[in-house]
Amino acid sequence: MILLCIIFLLGAFYLLNIYIFNYWKRRNIPQAEGQKILVGDASTMFLRKECLGEFFQTMYNKYKHHKFIGAYLSYRPVLIVNDPALIQDIMIRNFTSFHDRPVPINEEVDPLTKNLFFIKGQKWRDLRVKMSPTFTSGKLKLMFSIMTDCGKVLQDYIEKNLQENKNVFEFRDLLARFTTNIISSVAFGIDNDCINEPDNIFRKMGMKIFDQGIVQGMKNVIGLLTPAFFVKLNISLFHRDIYDFIVSLVHQTIEYREKNNFHRNDFMQLLIELKNQGYISVDKNSKDEDEIEWKFEDSNGHEMKNLTIEDIAAQVFVFFSAGFETSSSTMQLCLYELCKNQNIQRKVQQEIDQVMKSTESKEITYDLLHQLKYLECCVDETLRKYPIIPIHFRESTKDYKIPNTDIVIDKGTAIYISLMGIQRDPDIYEDPMAFKPERFLNSTTGSPKVTKGLVYTPFGDGPR
């Protein structure tokens, strides 16, 4: 009897696996081959042979002849989109059908998820409208002097070490400390010196955000495979001491500024405006990006409220965590390529020398940066070859019929786009693993082969 029960359960489990792994076939969507019990298509990722970005790059390389392909992360069906034109539809043309990300959000347990990256639907749209004016060219230009001050600290640090015959630098860590200085200054309004103080609390907290220990790794896996279940378990995605640190700093900064009538040209000051008056004063000489043309179905009659302290803390958190790591990694990888390619390095240096000679000022200014076209091409090429965000992911917020087909993507489907796959595709970029900044001299995408659709999107595209 026991043996019969075991056979029955194994048979039921086998049939259930067949049913689950036929999800895409039942919808007439091509799907990857060779799903395995428990892990689906992601066995290499579960065995830690590939990271998330490498897994989706492998899937792209294997199935790029399909405009889209169904796959399974364990038992979770996901749609991998490879076609540049369809990617453009998802991210721009039909944005209102894909405006969310398939990430776990529990505002009560994890208030830091109430930021522009995580939140969904109408809440995201309202916050997006409020936050857009903080990133106008005029607002960023006001913060430029803060950034150059941090640059001088880095320059002095390197010169001092060279004078002491210390000429070997761990640039990955040093640049992370440099960008942490900048972000803490413009986001919190607090001047730090992580460059000369590697154990500074801001640097420690920045490292902790990206801690990938066993516990955090398990959280990430659960959130990736079953975001809804993750929320029901009331799991906090971030360390509690990170939340306490961010909220405490925001409280102290706002209290000090309002009590002493102190004003500073930084991101925090703009968030205080959103807290007190519900909007940001628009620059007279900058285009107002506040007018968002798209609308959501539940937007009618929705009242936008002023930001709370927790709302501000959530925005500061994502600005801090996303800002220092992406920027420092891009700089590190760009310097790595310049060291490998001495001829390119010389061109960059010649351009900088030429631009600096053309001005009476000995200082780098905001306007001078816009004249460094070849250097900008180097940064673009770095982001092409080494996309800091290896994938884009979206969630269908309604049933969506793929143009020129009878195929419908069900509401709630997770969509994945492999940047590493597309931006290293030899059919799109000639000799893709070669570092060629010239690709971007006369092209915003770096590829003359693609005339429509999106292929170069290192930080995404469209309203999100």
Side-chain angles (χ1 to χ4, degrees), residues 154 157 169-180 194-195 197-199 203 207 324 328 332:
L154 175 63
Y157 175 85
F169 300 91
E170 173 49 71
F171 263 93
R172 185 177 188 278
D173 178 64
L174 181 58
L175 290 172
R177 283 148 53 192
F178 166 57
T179 53
T180 300
C194 296
I195 292 174
E197 301 169 13
D199 294 328
R203 178 62 182 139
M207 294 173 68
F324 88 85
S328 62
Q332 169 215 343

Side-chain angles (χ1 to χ4, degrees), residues 309-377:
I309 295 292
E310 276 195 347
D311 292 332
I312 293 176
Q315 309 322 310
V316 167
F317 164 75
V318 77
F319 192 69
F320 173 66
S321 58
F324 88 85
E325 177 65 25
T326 55
S327 302
S328 62
S329 295
T330 300
M331 285 190 283
Q332 169 215 343
L333 291 165
C334 187
L335 287 174
Y336 167 71
E337 288 289 351
L338 292 180
C339 288
K340 282 181 35 178
N341 299 276
Q342 294 287 308
N343 59 324
I344 297 176
Q345 183 184 141
R346 282 191 291 271
K347 288 182 181 180
V348 171
Q349 185 64 61
Q350 289 168 3
E351 179 184 62
I352 294 173
D353 291 342
Q354 183 178 356
V355 169
M356 292 304 294
K357 287 179 181 178
S358 67
T359 178
E360 297 179 357
S361 173
K362 294 183 179 180
E363 302 293 329
I364 295 289
T365 65
Y366 185 86
D367 294 325
L368 279 180
L369 287 183
H370 292 282
Q371 299 180 43
L372 301 175
K373 300 299 182 183
Y374 190 71
L375 176 58
E376 185 176 352
C377 290

Side-chain angles (χ1 to χ4, degrees), residues 21 24 31-36 39-46 50 55 59 63 70-74:
F21 289 145
W24 294 115
Q31 73 172 38
E33 300 174 351
Q35 289 79 33
K36 295 181 175 61
V39 296
D41 294 297
S43 59
T44 55
M45 194 163 57
F46 281 100
E50 290 182 315
F55 165 74
M59 294 295 285
Y63 298 104
Y72 302 88
L73 299 182
S74 185

Side-chain angles (χ1 to χ4, degrees), residues 50-263:
E50 290 182 315
C51 66
L52 186 68
E54 291 170 330
F55 165 74
F56 280 104
Q57 181 185 16
T58 298
M59 294 295 285
Y60 173 86
N61 291 336
K62 190 174 181 180
Y63 298 104
K64 67 180 183 180
H65 56 285
H66 290 287
K67 291 185 176 181
F68 45 86
I69 186 82
Y72 302 88
L73 299 182
S74 185
Y75 292 112
R76 185 187 188 191
V78 299
L79 188 68
I80 302 172
V81 178
N82 303 323
D83 178 53
L86 183 54
I87 293 171
Q88 187 173 36
D89 286 340
I90 289 171
M91 303 186 82
I92 301 176
R93 291 196 186 101
N94 301 119
F95 169 76
T96 52
S97 296
F98 300 95
H99 52 70
D100 291 344
R101 290 193 171 104
V103 292
I105 299 174
N106 191 332
E107 296 181 10
E108 293 183 4
V109 175
D110 233 346
L112 293 181
T113 58
K114 294 194 296 183
N115 61 61
L116 277 173
F117 184 86
F118 280 89
I119 61 172
K120 302 183 178 184
Q122 187 63 39
K123 288 185 177 180
W124 173 82
R125 187 264 182 193
D126 291 348
L127 187 60
R128 166 72 158 78
V129 170
K130 283 179 175 291
M131 296 291 292
S132 290
T134 65
F135 298 106
T136 61
S137 58
K139 299 296 185 187
L140 294 175
K141 192 171 184 178
L142 290 173
M143 301 178 194
F144 186 73
S145 62
I146 298 174
M147 301 180 194
T148 54
D149 288 342
C150 295
K152 290 175 183 176
V153 175
L154 175 63
Q155 180 178 328
D156 292 343
Y157 175 85
I158 293 175
E159 288 180 349
K160 178 184 176 183
N161 277 269
L162 291 176
Q163 290 171 1
E164 296 173 357
N165 293 321
K166 299 176 183 177
N167 57 2
V168 177
F169 300 91
E170 173 49 71
F171 263 93
R172 185 177 188 278
D173 178 64
L174 181 58
L175 290 172
R177 283 148 53 192
F178 166 57
T179 53
T180 300
N181 274 8
I182 293 177
I183 296 297
S184 64
S185 187
V186 299
F188 292 93
I190 296 176
D191 293 325
N192 287 302
D193 191 358
C194 296
I195 292 174
N196 290 290
E197 301 169 13
D199 294 328
N200 186 284
I201 184 63
F202 274 88
R203 178 62 182 139
K204 285 184 175 181
M205 285 298 166
M207 294 173 68
K208 197 160 193 175
I209 290 171
F210 292 96
D211 169 39
Q212 291 299 313
I214 295 177
V215 174
Q216 188 62 37
M218 291 178 63
K219 288 183 181 181
N220 294 340
V221 169
I222 296 173
L224 174 68
L225 300 181
T226 56
F229 185 58
F230 185 97
V231 172
K232 290 181 180 179
L233 291 176
N234 285 329
I235 300 174
S236 174
L237 189 60
F238 306 110
H239 296 280
R240 180 68 193 186
D241 49 355
I242 293 174
Y243 169 79
D244 292 338
F245 171 72
I246 298 289
V247 172
S248 175
L249 274 174
V250 169
H251 265 291
Q252 293 175 31
T253 303
I254 293 177
E255 183 179 8
Y256 174 82
R257 293 194 184 191
E258 293 184 340
K259 185 177 180 179
N260 296 279
N261 196 27
F262 178 81
H263 186 281

